[in-house]
Each structure stands twice: as C-alpha cells, then as structure tokens.
C-alpha cells in the first residue's frame, strides 16, 4: 500500500470493508435476507444495515479525526461497535 501513501490503519479499514462486502455477498447468495425492523426507523435487509453501518463508520472516523486528537484506532473501535450494533439490532 506504499504506492498510495496510506497508513496502516487506513489500509486495515478499507481491507476490512472489502472482506465484509465479499462475505455479505456470499451470505446473500446462500441465504437471501428478508426486511425486518429494529431500532432503525425503516425496515432493512442485511445489505441495508451494512450500508448504514459503513456510512456511520465513515462519519465516526471523520468526527474523530476532525474534532479530537485521539488515535485513529479509537475511531476504528467505535466504528466496529457501531457496525455490530446496527447489524444485530438495527
């Protein structure tokens, strides 16, 4: 990843996203999801919840980078918790 001047955490973040997309695609092909309601105000499928979780993770990263002096790993941990919560209870 040196050709893009990425840091290790940035490469890890996008690598995990790529693996999640491959995993979700495989899961969806084997077992199609049905919409359900959770704490989100709309009925969502697994793919919808993944998208919402990833979008929220991006905003969490921007918030941590722009408003705090915390490590990017803190943003990664917060994003992981957010994504797991949305996927499980969203």
């Amino acid at each position: 990843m040196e050709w893009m001047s990425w840091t290790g955490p940035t490469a890890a973040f996008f690598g995990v996203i790529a693996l999640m997309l491959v995993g979700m695609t495989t899961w969806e092909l084997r077992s199609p999801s049905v919409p359900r309601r959770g704490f989100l105000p709309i009925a969502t499928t697994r793919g919808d919840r993944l998208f919402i979780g990833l979008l929220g993770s991006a905003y969490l990263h921007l918030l941590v980078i722009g408003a705090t002096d915390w490590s990017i790993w803190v943003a990664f941990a917060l994003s992981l918790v957010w994504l797991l919560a949305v996927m499980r209870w969203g």
Side-chain angles (χ1 to χ4, degrees), residues 62-71 74:
L62 291 174
L63 179 68
V64 168
I65 290 169
T68 70
D69 58 350
W70 297 345
S71 167
V74 173

Side-chain angles (χ1 to χ4, degrees), residues 26-54:
T26 304
W27 190 10
E28 187 67 28
L29 290 173
R30 290 186 179 267
S31 169
S33 64
V34 294
R36 68 173 174 88
R37 289 188 56 97
F39 69 82
L40 296 170
I42 56 174
T44 58
T45 63
R46 285 188 299 250
D48 297 333
R49 290 188 299 275
L50 178 64
F51 177 74
I52 292 167
L54 290 175

